[in-house]
């Protein structure tokens, strides 16, 4: 890899060593930021739904407190405290006439759990009311009131809850004597859940109420009233008095954001649910918008960086080409200003160096030409001297030798 990088152009070297790592780092940071943003939005949705659930639970506590206080006040009515055998219905009728601001009906139970009087009278047809007495006696002491689980009115099929308080001075065992005062409330449309009915949870969320057995007391979908949700983990938690939130996967595959708040006085729980996909839809839209904008900005930055790097690499590459031409003895071109001080200084220095090398080469050629010319002149001079002097001398010597031979050959 190192040898490969050594043969890359400067532009591609910058692209591989700087631009590519920078691109990956910026994109990684962008997607990590998007994930963190999604998680932050989920946390904010949890906080919002938790506050809504706490608000509904707080309102229900106040409403239940008012119901219990009114029922205790009614139980202390002198008319009920002076009941005698055979007169509970008349006494209860007198009380109901003046004390029915919140309750849809009242009933008196004796120590055996038998309804001895009720207003309206058809409440006596509701056998589940008698179970409130055993719940009251098994509740942790001391207790001055009890709130029932969800019950279904056999007359109307509507869900209802029952509150019970003991009568002051109740015998606890006298046959036929009233022992406990009951007040029942239809859940839907009551002041008890007025806030939950008005509660808005995002675009498609809702809140509902479960009793201590995990059965639905109130739900926007009337078909769900009385359903058993005790198998759901968050319902088990709120039944145990816990508050919190969780992501819940419905059997249909849809994922929900669920927050739950307990109402410890009654053992009930407020559950706030919202589809995660719809709750996150705005965040998802803006998250994708931000990612797209971020990618565009990163691309623009990288493009400008590429232009800048090319602005540096191109004149340097041009200088490298001219250097190669200069080394080969070819004609070089003058550089153009790049706008970068250091590169322009390098270009001017290269021009001066090229001019000096050209001048040096010209001087060298002139010097070599002069040397060659001098050698040629010397050769001609030597040739001329050899032709004019040496040859003549040799001819003269040859002639003398011949004369000498002739003189020797003649007799004396």
């Amino acid at each position: 890899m190192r040898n490969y990088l050594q043969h890359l152009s400067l532009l591609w070297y910058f692209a591989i060593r700087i631009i590519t790592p920078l691109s990956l780092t910026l994109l990684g940071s962008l997607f990590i930021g998007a994930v963190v943003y999604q998680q932050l939005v989920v946390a904010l949705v949890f906080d919002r739904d938790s506050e809504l659930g706490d608000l509904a639970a707080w309102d229900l506590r106040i409403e239940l407190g008012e119901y219990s206080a009114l029922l205790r006040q009614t139980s202390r009515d002198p008319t009920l405290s002076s009941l005698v055998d055979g007169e509970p219905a008349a006494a209860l009728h007198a009380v109901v006439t003046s004390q029915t601001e919140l309750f849809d009906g009242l009933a008196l139970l004796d120590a055996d759990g038998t309804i001895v009087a009720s207003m309206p009278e058809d409440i006596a047809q509701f056998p589940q009311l008698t179970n409130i007495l055993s719940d009251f006696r098994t509740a942790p002491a001391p207790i001055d009131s009890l709130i029932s689980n969800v019950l279904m009115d056999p007359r109307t099929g509507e869900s209802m809850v029952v509150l019970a308080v003991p009568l002051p001075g109740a015998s606890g065992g006298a046959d036929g004597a009233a022992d406990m005062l009951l007040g029942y409330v239809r859940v839907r449309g009551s002041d008890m859940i007025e806030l939950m009915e008005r509660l808005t949870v995002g675009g498609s969320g809702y809140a509902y109420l479960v009793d201590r057995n995990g059965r639905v007391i109130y739900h926007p979908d009337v078909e769900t009233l009385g359903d058993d949700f005790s198998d759901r983990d968050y319902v088990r938690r709120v039944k145990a008095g816990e508050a919190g939130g969780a992501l819940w996967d419905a059997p249909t595959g849809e994922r929900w954001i669920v927050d739950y708040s307990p109402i410890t006085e009654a053992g009930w729980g407020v559950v706030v649910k919202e589809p995660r996909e719809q709750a996150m839809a705005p965040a998802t839209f803006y998250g994708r918008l931000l990612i797209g904008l971020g990618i565009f900005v990163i691309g623009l930055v990288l493009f400008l960086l590429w232009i800048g790097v090319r602005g540096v690499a191109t004149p340097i590459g041009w200088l490298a080409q001219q250097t190669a031409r200069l080394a080969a003895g070819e004609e070089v071109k003058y550089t153009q200003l790049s706008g970068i001080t250091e590169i322009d200084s390098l270009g001017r220095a290269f021009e001066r160096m090229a001019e000096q090398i050209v001048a040096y080469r010209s001087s060298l050629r002139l010097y070599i030409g002069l040397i060659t010319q001098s050698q040629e002149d010397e050769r001609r001079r030597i040739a001329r001297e050899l032709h004019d002097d040496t040859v003549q001398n040799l001819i003269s010597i040859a002639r003398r030798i011949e004369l000498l031979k002739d003189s020797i050959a003649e007799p004396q």
Side-chain angles (χ1 to χ4, degrees):
M1 180 67 179
R2 184 176 181 181
N3 293 332
Y4 173 73
L5 292 178
Q6 290 177 348
H7 294 85
L8 290 175
S9 65
L10 181 61
L11 188 61
W12 284 106
Y13 182 88
F14 271 103
I16 294 176
R17 283 295 183 89
I18 297 177
I19 297 179
T20 299
L22 180 61
S23 303
L24 295 177
T25 301
L26 291 176
L27 288 174
S29 301
L30 180 63
F31 282 103
I32 290 174
V35 172
V36 172
Y37 171 72
Q38 291 278 346
Q39 296 300 320
L40 179 61
V41 172
V42 170
L44 292 176
V45 172
F46 270 119
D47 290 342
R48 182 202 63 187
D49 291 352
S50 177
E51 291 179 1
L52 291 175
D54 292 342
L55 176 63
W58 176 78
D59 184 73
L60 277 168
R61 290 189 186 97
I62 294 177
E63 292 293 335
L64 289 173
E66 292 181 359
Y67 277 90
S68 298
L70 179 60
L71 195 62
R72 285 193 298 270
Q73 179 182 351
T74 303
S75 70
R76 292 190 292 269
D77 189 283
T79 305
L80 292 179
S81 61
S82 61
L83 287 175
V84 295
D85 292 347
E87 298 181 352
L92 184 61
H93 184 273
V95 172
V96 170
T97 302
S98 59
Q99 300 287 351
T100 56
E101 293 91 344
L102 297 179
F103 295 99
D104 293 298
L106 296 174
L108 291 172
L109 266 68
D110 62 13
D112 296 327
T114 303
I115 297 177
V116 297
S118 62
M119 290 297 298
E121 295 181 359
D122 57 359
I123 295 178
Q125 302 174 7
F126 193 8
Q128 291 175 296
L129 290 177
T130 59
N131 297 332
I132 198 71
L133 183 60
S134 60
D135 291 340
F136 188 88
R137 289 176 175 171
T138 57
I143 186 171
D144 58 358
S145 64
L146 185 70
I147 304 172
S148 74
N149 293 317
V150 61
L151 305 174
M152 301 305 295
D153 190 332
R155 303 165 303 167
T156 63
E158 296 182 3
S159 61
M160 57 175 290
V161 292
V162 177
L163 287 80
V165 295
L167 293 175
S171 63
D175 185 23
D179 191 76
M180 181 173 294
L181 176 64
L182 306 181
Y184 83 93
V185 183
R186 293 186 182 90
V187 176
R188 183 168 292 275
S190 67
D191 294 341
M192 185 184 306
I193 59 165
E194 182 179 359
L195 177 63
M196 294 190 64
E197 290 178 329
R198 300 196 312 265
L199 199 63
T200 301
V201 184
S204 56
Y206 57 88
Y208 65 91
L209 186 65
V210 295
D211 65 14
R212 55 181 172 270
N213 289 333
R215 301 183 70 86
V216 178
I217 299 176
Y218 165 78
H219 197 286
D221 181 9
V222 294
E223 299 296 330
T224 312
L225 296 177
D227 287 357
D228 187 1
F229 286 176
S230 60
D231 58 336
R232 302 182 180 184
D233 181 67
Y234 58 86
V235 173
R236 289 195 294 266
R237 290 178 180 273
V238 75
K239 282 170 51 182
E242 299 180 21
L247 288 174
W248 179 67
D249 294 321
T252 57
E254 189 176 12
R255 172 162 281 196
W256 292 77
I257 295 176
V258 179
D259 281 275
Y260 44 89
S261 302
I263 304 174
T264 53
E265 295 84 351
W268 296 353
V270 174
V271 178
V272 178
K273 290 180 60 178
E274 188 173 4
R276 184 183 184 278
E277 182 177 352
Q278 298 184 24
M280 296 295 297
T284 301
F285 171 76
Y286 287 110
R288 291 175 179 173
L289 181 63
L290 290 175
I291 289 176
L293 181 61
I295 292 176
F296 172 76
V297 171
I298 290 174
L300 180 62
V301 170
L302 294 177
F303 174 75
L304 295 177
L305 181 60
W306 176 268
I307 295 298
V309 170
R310 190 174 65 177
V312 174
T314 299
I316 293 178
W318 190 89
L319 286 174
Q321 293 176 0
Q322 297 306 309
T323 302
R325 291 174 61 88
L326 183 62
E330 299 176 2
E331 182 182 359
V332 297
K333 300 178 181 179
Y334 289 103
T335 59
Q336 297 179 353
L337 295 178
S338 63
I340 302 174
T341 302
E342 291 77 4
I343 295 179
D344 290 342
S345 298
L346 181 61
R348 286 190 291 269
F350 172 78
E351 290 177 358
R352 290 194 297 270
M353 181 185 68
E355 291 174 355
Q356 292 174 359
I357 292 176
V358 170
Y360 170 74
R361 286 177 176 173
S362 178
S363 299
L364 184 60
R365 284 194 295 269
L366 179 60
Y367 175 73
I368 293 174
L370 291 175
I371 291 177
T372 303
Q373 183 65 37
S374 175
Q375 289 176 347
E376 291 295 329
D377 292 343
E378 184 66 21
R379 290 190 188 98
R380 285 192 293 270
R381 185 186 65 80
I382 293 172
R384 187 171 53 252
E385 289 179 355
L386 288 175
H387 182 273
D388 294 341
D389 296 333
T390 305
V391 173
Q392 293 295 329
N393 291 334
L394 289 176
I395 294 173
S396 177
I397 292 172
R399 183 62 180 163
R400 289 178 180 179
I401 292 174
E402 291 179 356
L403 291 174
L404 181 60
K405 288 180 179 181
D406 291 342
S407 63
I408 293 173
E410 295 179 356
Q412 299 294 330

